[in-house]
Amino acid sequence: MASAPSKLYADDVSLLVVLLDTNPFFWSSFSLPFSKFLSHVLSFLNSILLLNQFNQVVVIATGCNSCDYIYDSSSATNTDAESGRMPALCSDLLRKLDEFVTRDQHLGEKDSLGPPTSSLLSGSLSMALCYIQKVFRSGPLHPQPRGSTDGPEQYVAIMNAIFSAQRSMVPIDSCFMGSNNSAFLQQASYITGGVYQKPQQLDGLFQYLSTVFATDLHSRTFLRLPKSVGVDFRASCFCHKRTIDMGYICSVCLSIFCKHHKKCSTCGSVFGQPQSDVPSASNVK
């Protein structure tokens, strides 16, 4: 699977859309406290805005039950010079983040099926791509777009968003904080030509963010950025939403199933019985 070609821009203006995972099930068991992680992210966002006065930062919070915009530097009002308090980026973002976490928790309590353990990555990724397209089509500037445990039930939605980003030449950078690698984010960065990084020293998270992810697309052609040792291209079956190595593929709609079915649940095509002298499963890599 070929990665997206690099896209050159005539200016140095950057649009950075950050998807901030607020999943409490992950952060409650992770070694790095969420507050400390957030301090690294705020320093990184401030550094992006300092690099160019026309740079724009958008932050989308991703929860277990919802996702929402919590900060947009283009519409933020900087009142820190008058009040002498912390910058508007920190105060506005922290306030809206707290409201989002509370609202997302209430939505989980109303869910009769129980609280989900995976984050709505597909929803926040789709929101980010929609925002980038809006800037491209209506904004006067032409910025450079950049952008927990995987939830197999979101596989189709996430892959659709990844291919949309690839078609729009929007690289997706991934900074993964979990103990294991994320197959979804690995595929997203590889396919779109972005950077996937799993920091080894969490105390130096800001250094990772500022030296790897803050680099604009034009400068990346001159730098040797870290590359993933391997990419997990395993897919999730459409029937049980489980990650599989081998499976059955519908020849009409390309839906993937872990077991043989008489009929495709997606398009309704009727399958024939697998022959005994040929492999009954197709490699989905």
Side-chain angles (χ1 to χ4, degrees), residues 135-149:
V135 173
F136 273 161
R137 298 181 182 184
S138 61
L141 301 177
H142 299 282
Q144 304 175 6
R146 303 167 44 202
S148 68
T149 303

Side-chain angles (χ1 to χ4, degrees), residues 26-104:
F26 168 76
W27 288 109
S28 61
S29 59
F30 195 58
S31 58
L32 182 69
F34 181 75
S35 57
K36 190 171 183 179
F37 163 77
L38 193 59
S39 65
H40 288 285
V41 174
L42 292 176
S43 300
F44 167 65
L45 297 181
N46 275 312
S47 65
I48 293 295
L49 295 176
L50 289 173
L51 288 175
N52 192 311
Q53 61 177 334
F54 296 111
N55 282 354
Q56 183 179 352
V57 169
V58 178
V59 181
I60 301 177
T62 306
C64 296
N65 306 281
S66 62
C67 47
D68 196 8
Y69 297 96
I70 61 173
Y71 182 77
D72 187 346
S73 61
S74 64
S75 59
T77 57
N78 193 356
T79 59
D80 58 313
E82 300 177 359
S83 61
R85 299 178 180 177
M86 73 171 67
L89 186 151
C90 298
S91 59
D92 293 346
L93 191 149
L94 292 176
R95 176 177 55 82
K96 292 183 179 179
L97 179 61
D98 184 67
E99 295 174 354
F100 170 81
V101 172
T102 303
R103 184 169 62 252
D104 187 70

Side-chain angles (χ1 to χ4, degrees), residues 100-217:
F100 170 81
V101 172
T102 303
R103 184 169 62 252
D104 187 70
Q105 183 178 2
H106 289 336
L107 291 175
E109 295 174 352
K110 295 179 181 179
D111 191 357
S112 59
L113 299 178
T117 57
S118 61
S119 304
L120 290 179
L121 176 61
S122 58
S124 58
L125 186 57
S126 299
M127 291 175 63
L129 292 174
C130 290
Y131 189 95
I132 292 173
Q133 289 298 325
K134 174 185 176 182
V135 173
F136 273 161
R137 298 181 182 184
S138 61
L141 301 177
H142 299 282
Q144 304 175 6
R146 303 167 44 202
S148 68
T149 303
D150 295 332
E153 68 279 358
Q154 303 181 56
Y155 174 76
V156 178
I158 290 178
M159 293 307 298
N160 287 337
I162 292 175
F163 290 132
S164 297
Q166 180 191 32
R167 184 174 181 178
S168 302
M169 294 186 180
V170 177
I172 300 177
D173 293 338
S174 306
C175 181
F176 187 72
M177 303 296 297
S179 56
N180 299 319
N181 286 303
S182 169
F184 288 167
L185 295 181
Q186 282 183 332
Q187 295 180 36
S189 298
Y190 178 83
I191 294 174
T192 61
V195 177
Y196 177 88
Q197 180 70 22
K198 185 175 178 297
Q200 300 298 324
Q201 302 293 333
L202 298 180
D203 291 338
L205 179 60
F206 174 70
Q207 282 72 18
Y208 286 99
L209 296 174
S210 59
T211 58
V212 177
F213 299 101
T215 309
D216 62 84
L217 299 182

Side-chain angles (χ1 to χ4, degrees), residues 168-285:
S168 302
M169 294 186 180
V170 177
I172 300 177
D173 293 338
S174 306
C175 181
F176 187 72
M177 303 296 297
S179 56
N180 299 319
N181 286 303
S182 169
F184 288 167
L185 295 181
Q186 282 183 332
Q187 295 180 36
S189 298
Y190 178 83
I191 294 174
T192 61
V195 177
Y196 177 88
Q197 180 70 22
K198 185 175 178 297
Q200 300 298 324
Q201 302 293 333
L202 298 180
D203 291 338
L205 179 60
F206 174 70
Q207 282 72 18
Y208 286 99
L209 296 174
S210 59
T211 58
V212 177
F213 299 101
T215 309
D216 62 84
L217 299 182
H218 179 67
S219 299
R220 292 184 179 188
T221 59
F222 306 101
L223 300 175
R224 186 181 296 274
L225 297 177
K227 296 182 179 180
S228 300
V229 178
V231 181
D232 188 355
F233 286 110
R234 290 182 300 172
S236 297
C237 64
F238 285 35
C239 45
H240 300 92
K241 311 302 182 183
R242 295 181 301 192
T243 302
I244 58 176
D245 296 307
M246 304 286 289
Y248 297 88
I249 302 178
C250 176
S251 59
V252 178
C253 65
L254 301 181
S255 298
I256 303 170
F257 304 96
C258 60
K259 296 181 180 180
H260 181 267
H261 294 266
K262 295 181 179 180
K263 187 177 181 180
C264 178
S265 59
T266 303
C267 65
S269 299
V270 179
F271 299 146
Q273 292 295 330
Q275 301 179 9
S276 58
D277 57 341
V278 297
S280 60
S282 300
N283 197 332
V284 300
K285 291 184 179 179

